[in-house]
C-alpha cells in the first residue's frame, strides 16, 4: 500500500498493511498489534513524519470523529474531541460558534489527536493552554487513562505522549475555551492589527491574519510537499547567546528565563544563505528557510540528507544544535 497520499511530504513509501481506525472499538486493533509484537505506526494527518524507507509493518490511520460538549456556561465551554478530527476544521468550527482560544493555532496541519503529542504552538499560543485532559489507550494493557495537563508533561513542542510514542494512543482531547474573547497578539504581525484602531480586535480578525501569514510564509502541502517547520527553534544558554548577539547584532531572540534564550531556527538557516539550496529532489523553501519541500519527486533520503546538511552548517557557524520537529520513519 502506497503511503504517499497519507504524508504531507508526498513521499512514496509502502507498508505491508493499512488499517483505518474509524470508531472507538477499532483502537483494539492497535492494542492487538502491540501485544503481538507486530511492527506498527500510528498516523494522524501525516504532517509530522518523513518516510526514508519502506515500512515493513501495519500503518493505522486515525479517522475517528465526534465533538461532545461536556459543560457550558456564560464564561466557558468544555468539549471532548475525537482524535481523528481535522485540526483546522475544528478551530474554524469553534470560531463559528464563538468559542475562543484557538484562533492563533489556525491552519496548522494535522489532527486533534496529534495536537497534544506535539504540543503545537504558533503566534504566541500553545495548545497546552487550552487542554484540560487527554484520553489515551495504553497499547500494552489496553487500559484507557485520562491524563490531566500536569501528567501530560507538556514542554516546548513536547509531551509525555511524544516521549512514549509507541506506548500510548490518544483517543480524545478535552478543551476549555472562552465565550468572551481575550486576544493574544504579542506576536509582532498580530500586534500590528491594533494600528489605527479605536475598537477591540475580534477573534475573526486574528484568525484571518494568522491564516494570511501562514499562507504567505508556508507552502500548501497540497501543492508542494512539506511538513511545515522541520526544526524546532533552539534554546541556548545566555553565554552563547551573548557571543552570537555581539557577532550578529540583528539576531532576533526570545527570552526564555534568566539563563536561556530562544533563537529562530529559520533566521540561522537564512543567515547562511541556504534558501533554495537543494539535495536531490528536496529543497529549502525560498520563502521560509525553516521549511524543507519536496521540490522534484524527492525521496525521504533526499530530505534527510538535506536536513543533515543544514544541521552541520548551522552548528559550524553558530555552535547551535538544531533539533528536528519531524519524526523520521525508516
Amino acid at each position: 500500500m502506497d503511503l504517499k497520499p497519507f504524508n504531507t511530504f508526498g513521499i512514496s513509501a509502502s507498508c505491508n498493511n493499512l488499517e483505518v481506525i474509524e470508531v472507538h472499538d477499532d483502537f483494539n486493533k492497535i492494542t492487538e498489534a502491540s501485544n503481538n509484537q507486530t511492527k506498527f505506526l500510528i498516523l494522524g494527518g501525516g504532517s509530522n513524519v518523513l518516510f526514508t524507507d519502506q515500512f515493513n509493518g501495519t500503518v493505522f490511520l486515525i479517522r475517528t470523529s465526534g465533538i461532545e460538549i461536556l459543560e457550558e456556561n456564560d464564561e466557558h465551554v468544555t468539549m471532548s474531541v475525537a482524535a481523528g478530527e481535522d485540526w483546522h476544521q475544528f478551530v474554524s468550527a469553534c470560531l463559528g460558534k464563538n468559542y475562543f482560544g484557538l484562533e492563533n493555532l489556525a491552519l496548522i496541519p494535522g489532527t486533534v489527536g496529534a495536537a497534544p503529542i506535539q504540543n503545537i504552538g504558533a503566534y504566541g499560543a500553545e495548545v497546552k493552554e487550552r487542554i484540560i485532559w487527554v484520553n489515551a489507550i495504553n497499547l500494552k494493557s489496553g487500559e484507557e487513562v485520562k491524563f490531566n495537563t500536569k501528567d501530560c508533561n507538556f514542554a516546548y513542542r513536547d509531551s509525555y505522549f511524544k516521549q512514549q510514542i509507541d506506548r500510548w494512543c490518544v483517543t480524545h482531547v478535552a478543551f476549555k475555551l472562552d465565550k468572551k474573547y481575550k486576544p493574544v497578539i504579542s506576536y509582532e504581525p498580530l500586534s500590528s492589527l491594533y494600528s489605527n484602531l479605536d475598537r477591540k480586535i475580534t477573534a475573526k480578525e486574528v484568525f484571518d491574519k494568522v491564516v494570511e501569514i501562514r499562507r504567505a510564509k508556508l507552502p500548501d502541502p497540497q501543492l508542494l510537499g512539506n511538513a511545515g517547520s522541520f526544526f524546532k527553534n533552539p534554546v541556548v544558554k545566555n553565554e552563547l547567546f551573548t557571543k552570537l548577539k555581539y557577532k550578529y547584532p540583528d539576531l532576533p531572540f526570545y527570552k526564555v528565563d534568566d539563563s536561556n534564550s530562544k533563537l529562530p531556527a529559520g533566521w540561522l538557516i537564512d543567515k547562511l544563505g541556504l534558501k533554495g539550496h537543494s539535495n536531490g529532489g528536496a529543497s529549502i523553501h525560498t520563502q521560509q528557510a525553516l521549511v524543507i519541500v519536496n521540490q522534484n519527486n524527492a525521496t525521504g533520503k533526499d530530505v534527510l540528507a538535506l536536513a543533515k546538511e543544514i544541521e552541520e552548517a548551522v552548528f559550524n557557524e553558530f555552535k547551535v544544535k538544531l533539533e528536528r520537529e519531524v519524526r523520521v520513519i525508516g
Side-chain angles (χ1 to χ4, degrees):
M1 176 66 70
D2 188 6
L3 296 171
K4 185 174 182 177
F6 307 113
N7 71 94
T8 59
F9 256 120
I11 298 292
S12 288
S14 64
C15 63
N16 294 350
N17 301 290
L18 186 70
E19 294 272 1
V20 181
I21 306 300
E22 295 183 290
V23 297
H24 195 75
D25 287 347
D26 287 343
F27 284 105
N28 292 332
K29 298 177 182 178
I30 310 178
T31 304
E32 290 172 7
S34 178
N35 288 331
N36 292 334
Q37 297 186 331
T38 301
K39 188 176 181 180
F40 69 92
L41 175 69
I42 300 171
L43 276 187
S47 60
N48 201 45
V49 296
L50 171 66
F51 289 100
T52 59
D53 209 338
Q54 312 312 316
F55 187 77
N56 296 316
T58 299
V59 171
F60 294 99
L61 295 177
I62 308 301
R63 295 295 183 264
T64 52
S65 61
I67 299 175
E68 178 187 1
I69 301 296
L70 303 176
E71 186 178 350
E72 187 170 5
N73 55 41
D74 292 340
E75 299 288 330
H76 306 287
V77 59
T78 60
M79 62 185 76
S80 171
V81 187
E85 290 281 351
D86 179 87
W87 175 258
H88 179 66
Q89 291 179 14
F90 168 59
V91 173
S92 299
C94 289
L95 184 65
K97 293 182 178 293
N98 293 323
Y99 300 155
F100 308 123
L102 299 176
E103 312 71 34
N104 297 53
L105 305 179
L107 212 62
I108 294 178
T111 58
V112 166
I117 296 174
Q118 187 72 4
N119 184 25
I120 58 173
Y123 307 113
E126 287 185 310
V127 74
K128 71 175 183 179
E129 298 157 358
R130 293 296 171 175
I131 290 175
I132 55 174
W133 53 255
V134 175
N135 195 78
I137 294 178
N138 184 314
L139 297 178
K140 293 296 183 184
S141 67
E143 177 189 12
E144 292 197 42
V145 178
K146 189 173 289 185
F147 292 82
N148 60 35
T149 51
K150 182 179 179 181
D151 293 336
C152 290
N153 198 23
F154 288 124
Y156 172 58
R157 302 298 177 271
D158 199 10
S159 70
Y160 173 75
F161 308 105
K162 187 174 182 180
Q163 298 158 11
Q164 304 280 336
I165 195 71
D166 294 321
R167 183 181 174 190
W168 297 93
C169 181
V170 173
T171 68
H172 293 82
V173 185
F175 300 89
K176 183 177 182 179
L177 303 180
D178 299 330
K179 297 182 75 174
K180 295 180 181 179
Y181 184 52
K182 303 169 187 174
V184 177
I185 55 169
S186 57
Y187 185 77
E188 179 60 33
L190 299 185
S191 61
S192 66
L193 287 172
Y194 264 135
S195 301
N196 302 318
L197 286 180
D198 57 359
R199 58 175 175 77
K200 290 185 177 180
I201 196 170
T202 68
K204 181 65 163 57
E205 286 173 316
V206 171
F207 175 91
D208 289 343
K209 187 65 175 180
V210 168
V211 169
E212 176 190 328
I213 295 169
R214 291 188 71 90
R215 284 181 172 159
K217 292 175 61 177
L218 303 172
D220 184 345
Q222 298 292 329
L223 303 176
L224 190 61
N226 72 92
S229 299
F230 198 92
F231 300 102
K232 295 181 181 181
N233 289 324
V235 175
V236 302
K237 294 294 183 182
N238 283 341
E239 182 182 358
L240 175 57
F241 165 70
T242 301
K243 293 178 181 177
L244 292 174
K245 189 66 174 175
Y246 179 78
K247 186 175 181 179
Y248 304 100
D250 58 335
L251 172 64
F253 70 98
Y254 312 92
K255 185 176 180 180
V256 176
D257 51 41
D258 291 338
S259 302
N260 301 279
S261 295
K262 184 184 295 182
L263 309 180
W267 186 93
L268 300 176
I269 299 167
D270 190 19
K271 194 69 174 179
L272 296 174
L274 291 176
K275 280 182 179 176
H277 178 66
S278 62
N279 188 310
S283 298
I284 300 172
H285 193 237
T286 56
Q287 298 299 315
Q288 173 52 267
L290 200 52
V291 178
I292 297 177
V293 297
N294 182 351
Q295 187 70 46
N296 187 24
N297 295 319
T299 66
K301 292 178 181 177
D302 290 341
V303 176
L304 186 58
L306 181 56
K308 289 178 178 178
E309 279 191 61
I310 295 168
E311 291 163 9
E312 183 177 351
V314 168
F315 184 77
N316 287 342
E317 177 64 26
F318 303 106
K319 298 300 180 283
V320 172
K321 291 184 179 181
L322 292 182
E323 184 178 348
R324 301 166 194 161
E325 282 200 41
V326 174
R327 184 184 177 195
V328 178
I329 308 296

